[in-house]
Amino acid sequence: MRNGEISHWMAEAPRSSVRPIPGAGGADGGADEAVSGLGPPGGASEAGADAAASRTGASVFDRSAPAPLPQEAQDLVIVGGGLTGLWLAYYAALEHPDWAITILEAKEVGYGASGRNGGWLSTLIPGNRAVYARAAEKAGEDGIAAVSAFQLALFTTIEDTLAVLRREGIDARHAQGGNLTVAQTRAGLERLRAAYDADLKYGYSPEDVRLLSAEETRARVNVSGALGGLFHEHTTAIDPARLTRGLARAVAARGVRICEVTRVSRIDPGMALTQRGPVQGRAIISCAEAYSGRIAGPVPGLGPRSLIPVNSAMIITEPLPDSTWEQIGWTERECLNDAAHGFIYAQRTADGRIAIGGRGAPYAFGSGTPGDGAVDPATITRLRQKLQSLFPGHDFPIAHSWRGVIGVTRDWCTGVHFDSRTRLGAVRGYAGHGVAATQLAARTLLDRIDGKSTVRTSLPWNDHDSGTWEPEPVRWLGVHGMYRLFGLADRWEESRGAEQTSLLARFGSRLAGMHE
């Protein structure tokens, strides 16, 4: 079994051909530059990539020879080569083809959560809906209407993302099979009923979400002991690294410079400071998500206590035989999770594997991050056991394990920030629900950079103040205490056959600011 080295997705996603550009050299000592071939006709072409590379010296997927830093001021500088930064570059290049745009990435495109996640283009709002509603009401708005508008924008975002994949010829091995949440306890089933009511309150229609009986649930995915389910339309399973790298090729073809191995330590008006030197920009946006705490600057959302990096681990099986799939079902490739407090998330991949993830060891003291993603044996064992409990009696050989970190703010809500005076901005805190939301956040930021007033700029995550996390060791104790309470609550509910959510879980949820 392979362990770490970023993720299975990143190891398997095509990097395309990387070709030196004759005569290219630059500020980093004359290293040859490179550009990827850009996929099938109708998408970003190889000829387009060559032309873009000639203009910008763009380097895609070549950490050994990063592109030189631009010497002239850029119209837009983006910190972070994950999905938020790539979407921002994509739409900025489309709407402003004359702009000089540079992405500064500390490691390589997709190194963070964008290349390690569970692969859900999800309808779930990246935050606590009740918190957003209260914030809107405090500003004199209708809170439920504000959150409902947010929800509708996410529905549109998923369809927009799929349209971009078609337009750019990006094969992300996606399937729009929806999201199935399964209850295996009576208390979990009660939580699904409450979630259904809340969904209808906050913008879903009865066509978007529905409760399923035990039989309807098992007809979709034959989960052992399933008592019922909650099914959300629109959610799409996707290979996140194929999405991320495909998007990087598309932006490079449009002239965006991608400087990998370029770590930003601070942003100020007009300037981003990196270990390779300064980069000037008329607008500078931080899209570093769980790594935002490592960046300083006069913009909300940065600094060591603005958010914490929470670990999430995954395992993926070898391709499973047809006989196993005949018994499990899962023919629509629904994104699968459960109603437990210590929940899991999973998908059936296009090549017949099961990828399943969960929190594992949730938080490292001092906001540590997992490097290239090696997972401890205990977490691998727990994920394997969970897989066996969902589908007992089957053999699941594990091919790869890895972990990454999600960015979590103190109230578990994303904030999108831009200061029109300083031309600095930041977005962070998707809390594990960012694969779809990154596109919406990027377009929101671009609207604000352009000074537009749109539906996106009125959504309640704009300039949302999440507060700050407590100092250590309080936050370490709090996070670990919360997850310990959730684990105890799951065991209590299962062993007692409880019909109501455990008081331990209710306390843990309120302690963390997750209660909705």
Side-chain angles (χ1 to χ4, degrees):
M1 181 189 72
R2 188 171 181 176
N3 191 359
E5 299 175 61
I6 308 182
S7 73
H8 168 81
W9 314 119
M10 290 287 280
E12 297 296 319
R15 298 174 71 89
S16 297
S17 59
V18 179
R19 304 185 307 279
I21 301 168
D28 291 348
D32 283 345
E33 294 162 45
V35 64
S36 299
L38 298 180
S45 68
E46 293 195 14
D50 287 341
S54 297
R55 293 195 307 271
T56 68
S59 175
V60 185
F61 317 143
D62 187 7
R63 293 172 65 180
S64 64
L69 299 182
Q71 300 304 301
E72 67 284 352
Q74 302 291 285
D75 295 286
L76 176 61
V77 174
I78 299 165
V79 180
L83 284 171
T84 307
L86 291 166
W87 280 122
L88 179 53
Y90 179 80
Y91 282 104
L94 282 180
E95 296 186 24
H96 302 284
D98 57 325
W99 276 14
I101 303 169
T102 291
I103 297 174
L104 305 174
E105 163 55 41
K107 293 287 189 176
E108 65 177 287
V109 165
Y111 179 85
S114 295
R116 309 188 194 205
N117 63 76
W120 290 27
L121 275 172
S122 172
T123 63
L124 297 175
I125 283 178
N128 186 311
R129 295 178 292 192
V131 171
Y132 281 134
R134 287 195 296 270
E137 289 164 1
K138 189 175 180 180
E141 302 172 15
D142 183 327
I144 292 176
V147 176
S148 297
F150 198 170
Q151 187 63 68
L152 292 175
L154 269 176
F155 292 158
T156 300
T157 294
I158 292 173
E159 299 308 318
D160 288 347
T161 298
L162 298 178
V164 170
L165 297 186
R166 293 189 293 270
R167 182 166 63 244
E168 300 296 341
I170 298 171
D171 176 14
R173 295 186 172 180
H174 50 286
Q176 196 167 24
N179 168 207
L180 176 63
T181 306
V182 178
Q184 294 174 288
T185 66
R186 290 190 289 175
L189 190 59
E190 186 60 30
R191 285 193 292 276
L192 293 189
R193 295 185 181 118
Y196 173 75
D197 290 340
D199 287 343
L200 294 179
K201 174 182 177 181
Y202 286 121
Y204 287 82
S205 75
E207 289 73 40
D208 299 319
V209 60
R210 61 185 183 273
L211 287 166
L212 303 181
S213 67
E215 292 75 18
E216 289 171 322
T217 300
R218 291 195 294 267
R220 284 185 171 273
V221 185
N222 191 18
V223 172
S224 176
L227 301 179
L230 184 65
F231 183 74
H232 294 90
E233 297 282 356
H234 310 299
T235 297
T236 303
I238 201 162
D239 182 320
R242 284 175 170 263
L243 169 62
T244 303
R245 284 182 167 159
L247 200 54
R249 289 190 287 272
V251 301
R254 286 174 170 80
V256 174
R257 182 190 300 253
I258 301 176
C259 297
E260 298 177 301
V261 201
T262 306
R263 183 183 301 278
V264 174
S265 58
R266 182 176 181 86
I267 62 174
D268 284 298
M271 186 76 69
L273 183 62
T274 84
Q275 94 280 13
R276 298 173 59 200
V279 177
Q280 299 177 63
R282 297 179 181 89
I284 302 175
I285 309 295
S286 173
C287 305
E289 185 48 355
Y291 301 87
S292 298
R294 299 178 176 182
I295 301 171
V299 60
L302 303 183
R305 289 174 56 192
S306 65
L307 85 171
I308 59 172
V310 172
N311 284 298
S312 197
M314 295 196 71
I315 58 174
I316 192 167
T317 69
E318 299 286 358
L320 303 177
D322 291 343
S323 58
T324 297
W325 288 119
E326 288 170 3
Q327 296 180 58
I328 292 175
W330 214 341
T331 57
E332 300 301 312
R333 289 186 58 202
E334 296 92 340
C335 293
L336 178 71
N337 63 321
D338 66 358
H341 303 293
F343 64 91
I344 56 89
Y345 51 91
Q347 67 155 288
R348 174 179 177 172
T349 67
D351 60 349
R353 307 169 188 259
I354 296 176
I356 182 170
R359 292 293 179 257
Y363 174 70
F365 189 87
S367 294
T369 54
D372 285 348
V375 185
D376 61 282
T379 296
I380 295 172
T381 297
R382 282 195 293 271
L383 289 172
R384 186 194 294 263
Q385 290 172 341
K386 183 62 181 182
L387 184 55
Q388 292 287 356
S389 74
L390 294 171
F391 309 111
H394 297 286
D395 182 33
F396 295 112
I398 306 303
H400 200 157
S401 61
W402 69 94
R403 62 179 175 141
V405 281
I406 61 174
V408 176
T409 63
R410 186 60 184 86
D411 65 358
W412 293 74
C413 289
T414 311
V416 178
H417 303 275
F418 181 73
D419 186 329
S420 60
R421 180 181 57 85
T422 63
R423 308 287 291 171
L424 297 177
V427 57
R428 82 286 178 265
Y430 296 111
H433 299 307
V435 180
T438 52
Q439 199 237 56
L440 180 58
R443 299 187 76 177
T444 302
L445 282 165
L446 185 59
D447 286 348
R448 295 184 65 176
I449 291 168
D450 288 341
K452 296 178 180 177
S453 178
T454 65
V455 171
R456 288 186 288 261
T457 63
S458 67
L459 297 177
W461 62 354
N462 282 281
D463 299 316
H464 178 75
D465 182 5
S466 294
T468 57
W469 281 93
E470 294 79 2
E472 297 289 22
V474 176
R475 66 174 179 263
W476 185 93
L477 292 169
V479 174
H480 282 262
M482 176 190 71
Y483 280 102
R484 180 65 61 87
L485 288 173
F486 286 164
L488 291 171
D490 281 331
R491 290 190 290 274
W492 187 87
E493 291 174 5
E494 185 174 356
S495 65
R496 300 292 182 90
E499 295 186 6
Q500 300 294 325
T501 294
S502 163
L503 290 175
L504 291 172
R506 295 182 190 182
F507 175 73
S509 182
R510 290 184 182 277
L511 176 70
M514 298 171 64
H515 182 74
E516 187 173 270

